[in-house]
Amino acid sequence: MSFRKLRKKYDFLDNTRVLLDFKFDPIKEYLDNSAGMILQQEKELNEKYHAWNKEHSNNPEVPNAIDIYEMEIINNSEFPNILNQSIYLTIYSTFENEFFKLCEWCQNAENLKIGPKDINGQGYIGQCRKYITNVLEVDLNDLNEDIMDKNGW
């Protein structure tokens, strides 16, 4: 097959990077904004904590600031972890979904009866890797070996 025909067959890939930017840029923006919100909440909590101590530190009958704000402090300390976990899951599932769709597009471009869903593997990423190497016969050996090993590829 000539390069021109091959290029036309896979012209849908030209816009893939832009489309993926549309998928991942909002996630990055959300992460930045959420991290900023968490820092702002920590600052406000710290100010409330110190204001309470300053106003009530001389009165032994009033609970200290740690007793008043303990749950808020505990909850706020978990926000970065929750944010990171949710972002990780969002990025992973978005990548997994887009990788699977890319394989389906390649199946259509090649007019193949076998698709990524017909391949046994560990999750969509495993199925897609096997599909790309075994069905589409794309050599993935040039990819970074550390990445391949860490992901069980």
Side-chain angles (χ1 to χ4, degrees):
M1 179 179 298
S2 73
F3 178 74
R4 192 172 280 163
K5 285 184 181 178
L6 186 64
R7 173 97 172 126
K8 184 162 176 58
K9 185 189 244 186
Y10 285 94
D11 64 351
F12 66 89
L13 292 174
D14 288 340
N15 296 323
T16 301
R17 182 176 174 90
V18 172
L19 293 173
L20 290 175
D21 282 344
F22 281 125
K23 294 278 184 178
F24 287 100
D25 283 350
I27 296 169
K28 290 188 287 187
E29 184 78 20
Y30 174 79
L31 177 60
D32 290 341
N33 288 339
S34 297
M37 178 199 67
I38 290 170
L39 288 174
Q40 182 62 35
Q41 285 183 324
E42 287 175 0
K43 181 182 173 187
E44 290 171 6
L45 181 56
N46 194 28
E47 290 170 358
K48 288 190 322 188
Y49 179 89
H50 289 297
W52 178 270
N53 270 345
K54 185 177 182 179
E55 185 177 334
H56 301 288
S57 62
N58 294 331
N59 187 348
E61 294 179 14
V62 175
N64 63 26
I66 193 69
D67 294 331
I68 298 297
Y69 297 110
E70 180 179 22
M71 284 310 298
E72 206 171 337
I73 291 168
I74 291 170
N75 289 342
N76 278 336
S77 71
E78 288 299 315
F79 288 171
N81 187 39
I82 293 168
L83 176 63
N84 290 336
Q85 288 176 356
S86 66
I87 290 296
Y88 172 78
L89 288 172
T90 300
I91 290 171
Y92 187 88
S93 63
T94 301
F95 170 74
E96 187 178 54
N97 185 50
E98 294 304 313
F99 195 23
F100 196 82
K101 285 197 286 190
L102 180 66
C103 288
E104 288 181 323
W105 290 339
C106 292
Q107 174 190 1
N108 291 334
E110 292 293 329
N111 199 25
L112 299 171
K113 292 186 193 282
I114 295 175
K117 63 184 166 204
D118 300 315
I119 304 296
N120 289 329
Q122 293 181 329
Y124 282 168
I125 293 176
Q127 287 175 285
C128 290
R129 182 200 52 80
K130 284 183 178 179
Y131 185 76
I132 287 172
T133 56
N134 298 341
V135 177
L136 297 176
E137 298 177 350
V138 174
D139 184 7
L140 298 176
N141 289 331
D142 289 341
L143 293 177
N144 184 330
E145 289 181 21
D146 289 337
I147 293 172
M148 300 291 280
D149 290 339
K150 287 178 186 172
N151 291 301
W153 292 7

